[in-house]
Amino acid sequence: MQNAQKIQVSNDGVTPFELEKPSKAEIFGYGLGDFGYILLWTIVGSFLSFYYTDVAGISAGVVGTIMLFARIWDGVSDIAMGVVVDKTKSKHGKARPYLLWIPIPLALSTIFLFTVPDFGMNGKIVYALITYSLFILMYTMLTIPFKTLLGLITQDQYSRSLIGVVGALFIQFSALVVNVSTQPLASSIGGQKGWTISVTLFSVISVIMLFLTFRFTKERVLDTSALNKQKKAPFSITMKALLKNKYWRLVTAFCIIYYILLGLGGSELYYASYVLGSPSYFSIISMVKTIPGLIILLLISPFIKRFGKRNTAILGAALVVLSALIKFIDPYSLTFFLTGSMFYGIAKGLFSATVYAMINDTAEYGEWKSGIRTTGLVNSSASFGMKIGTGVGAAMVGWLLAFGGYVGKAAEQSESALQMIFVLNIHLPLIIGVFLLIILSMYKLDKLYPEIIADLQKRT
């Protein structure tokens, strides 16, 4: 690994302080972890609902309820895991040890999801609930430390943004690989066996990528908060400080709303199958949605450096609105749907490049305002919002399909079922895009950050 470099930060003539900047190898190594865990997240987000309804034969309404219940449990476990990470002390640091301990259990739990035994409907439902809850727990134990690690690698604002951009490239590429290849691979093998084999393949790759992240990264940001230097702050005090952090509240609200949008992504396979006419279109939609996002991520670093993370995210929210409006022009047209998906994919790339860096920036703001540093809790609480949002989105897919009278495995769907598919893919994303614009307009931490870092360095 290359040696980390040091950079200087100053604010309006204040004596500059040196901050370590991660090497290129370390940034790349962190990105491999993004690739690894997103493989599994994308499989679950894009295909689990369809697998439950059209392969395992569980009703759409029950699937929606399972999704929401598991995600509420997920959110609770996020908060607990954030506290655990903040209290962790090991020779590998606070966050890195979990990249060594958890990848294999996470991979196994993912395989269990797509191996529903045929022992009656009630048995299938119980199995789905237990295995989905297990997956959520393992995913939380992996991703909270992984996201916290970003805040422990460096305090340099641009370096965090650069790590976010590289990570987003890996995220987009990982999602593309899964969305394009999983359904054709599973279909070519056939039946439940096809899904199990496909998921096992991606799970093995995920484990390898996460182990490499453990190997190539380093924790170097120390806790400078006065209270934490004296003793471990009680949970009640740290939570109170967190809730007073207005920029964390805004980012968490953004995460909830945006991840509802991502949770709705499970409806795209239904749209391809029953509105556009073929499930094979899903792979095309995924490519059109992902490749522009990958391209924009290769070009976005200078834009973020010039205009900041907040303005970059605002552009993404505007593109979400534009995407829905284009699809609305002719909902039955593959061309219009693909065009809208292209702009949506660019928006996802912009969000991926900024959101995790924005979350970790709020940790410095919270320490500056309250004297308490809670990097793990900041990430876990924001992740709580992500999981609740995704759960609500996934549940809405099942509930609205059930409300519209969707029948799994049917050759054709009723008009009311088709209308619910339109709502999930066009109308709700439009409303969500407007809410994202409103939330981001109130986030103004980018301009304050240099002053905050200079002040925190003087406290060390």
Side-chain angles (χ1 to χ4, degrees):
M1 186 192 309
Q2 301 176 20
N3 293 328
Q5 302 174 355
K6 290 187 176 182
I7 64 168
Q8 292 186 327
V9 60
S10 62
N11 184 64
D12 297 331
V14 177
T15 302
F17 299 93
E18 290 188 333
L19 296 175
E20 280 193 281
K21 183 171 66 173
S23 67
K24 293 179 180 178
E26 189 169 6
I27 293 173
F28 184 83
Y30 188 87
L32 291 178
D34 278 307
F35 183 92
Y37 85 83
I38 287 296
L39 279 177
L40 306 186
W41 180 255
T42 304
I43 288 172
V44 172
S46 295
F47 299 106
L48 186 60
S49 179
F50 185 85
Y51 171 81
Y52 279 159
T53 59
D54 285 45
V55 178
I58 303 173
S59 70
V62 171
V63 170
T65 302
I66 291 173
M67 296 287 185
L68 184 59
F69 175 83
R71 292 304 169 85
I72 292 173
W73 152 242
D74 190 7
V76 173
S77 65
D78 273 356
I79 302 296
M81 193 62 200
V83 175
V84 170
V85 172
D86 279 331
K87 294 180 180 295
T88 297
K89 291 184 179 180
S90 78
K91 65 179 181 180
H92 300 305
K94 285 179 172 294
R96 288 179 66 245
Y98 297 95
L99 303 184
L100 186 63
W101 301 334
I102 305 302
I104 292 177
L106 173 61
L108 291 174
S109 69
T110 309
I111 296 169
F112 294 155
L113 284 178
F114 290 85
T115 315
V116 177
D118 187 11
F119 45 46
M121 185 54 61
N122 290 336
K124 289 180 180 181
I125 293 171
V126 171
Y127 179 89
L129 182 59
I130 292 174
T131 54
Y132 194 38
S133 298
L134 177 63
F135 167 81
I136 290 298
L137 179 61
M138 293 299 104
Y139 184 81
T140 295
M141 293 181 69
L142 186 284
T143 55
I144 295 303
F146 180 82
K147 294 167 186 175
T148 301
L149 181 59
L150 174 58
L152 300 175
I153 290 175
T154 182
Q155 285 182 308
D156 175 51
Q157 192 177 24
Y158 181 65
S159 291
R160 280 185 184 169
S161 297
L162 185 59
I163 294 172
V165 170
V166 173
L169 280 166
F170 277 102
I171 286 171
Q172 294 282 343
F173 182 63
S174 179
L176 176 65
V177 169
V178 171
N179 284 327
V180 169
S181 61
T182 302
Q183 194 274 335
L185 178 60
S187 296
S188 67
I189 299 172
Q192 179 162 280
K193 181 180 179 181
W195 287 97
T196 303
I197 292 175
S198 301
V199 171
T200 300
L201 172 63
F202 289 123
S203 296
V204 171
I205 296 172
S206 175
V207 170
I208 295 172
M209 296 297 102
L210 289 163
F211 281 168
L212 288 173
T213 298
F214 171 81
R215 166 67 179 82
F216 282 102
T217 54
K218 174 185 177 183
E219 295 182 19
R220 57 176 65 83
V221 176
L222 302 177
D223 190 345
T224 62
S225 60
L227 181 58
N228 286 350
K229 283 182 177 180
Q230 299 170 18
K231 61 180 180 179
K232 282 292 180 184
F235 176 74
S236 60
I237 294 178
T238 58
M239 182 56 70
K240 184 177 180 180
L242 181 69
L243 293 175
K244 288 183 177 180
N245 186 330
K246 65 179 181 181
Y247 290 113
W248 169 83
R249 295 199 305 267
L250 285 171
V251 171
T252 300
F254 169 85
C255 290
I256 293 172
I257 302 299
Y258 173 48
Y259 274 76
I260 289 176
L261 179 64
L262 293 184
L264 296 176
S267 66
E268 286 186 339
L269 186 52
Y270 296 100
Y271 200 98
S273 300
Y274 296 107
V275 177
L276 299 178
S278 173
S280 64
Y281 287 144
F282 180 78
S283 296
I284 300 173
I285 293 169
S286 297
M287 285 191 291
V288 170
K289 191 168 61 175
T290 305
I291 292 175
L294 284 168
I295 294 172
I296 202 68
L297 285 168
L298 294 172
L299 308 172
I300 199 61
S301 292
F303 187 91
I304 294 177
K305 190 172 186 179
R306 173 67 178 84
F307 296 103
K309 294 184 286 292
R310 175 251 198 182
N311 291 333
T312 303
I314 284 178
L315 176 60
L319 292 177
V320 170
V321 173
L322 177 62
S323 168
L325 291 174
I326 292 173
K327 294 175 182 178
F328 187 76
I329 294 173
D330 185 353
Y332 292 93
S333 168
L334 177 61
T335 300
F336 279 104
F337 196 88
L338 291 177
T339 303
S341 296
M342 178 187 68
F343 286 108
Y344 176 73
I346 294 173
K348 285 183 63 178
L350 297 178
F351 291 147
S352 297
T354 54
V355 64
Y356 293 113
M358 290 169 69
I359 291 169
N360 280 280
D361 285 353
T362 69
E364 271 74 38
Y365 177 81
E367 181 182 353
W368 183 60
K369 294 291 288 186
S370 67
I372 301 173
R373 183 177 183 83
T374 54
T375 308
L377 192 57
V378 161
N379 278 276
S380 65
S381 300
S383 182
F384 172 85
M386 294 176 182
K387 303 298 179 54
I388 293 299
T390 308
V392 170
M396 289 175 70
V397 173
W399 289 341
L400 289 178
L401 288 176
F403 180 76
Y406 176 84
V407 178
K409 301 182 182 180
E412 294 183 2
Q413 299 295 335
S414 66
E415 184 63 29
S416 60
L418 292 177
Q419 288 302 317
M420 288 301 103
I421 294 174
F422 291 143
V423 169
L424 289 165
N425 283 272
I426 299 176
H427 301 93
L428 286 177
L430 176 61
I431 295 170
I432 288 172
V434 173
F435 275 107
L436 293 177
L437 282 170
I438 294 171
I439 292 170
L440 290 169
S441 68
M442 296 184 282
Y443 181 91
K444 300 177 181 179
L445 182 55
D446 285 1
K447 293 182 179 179
L448 293 174
Y449 194 83
E451 176 188 348
I452 291 170
I453 290 298
D455 195 17
L456 290 176
Q457 288 291 330
K458 288 189 291 185
R459 299 180 189 178
T460 58

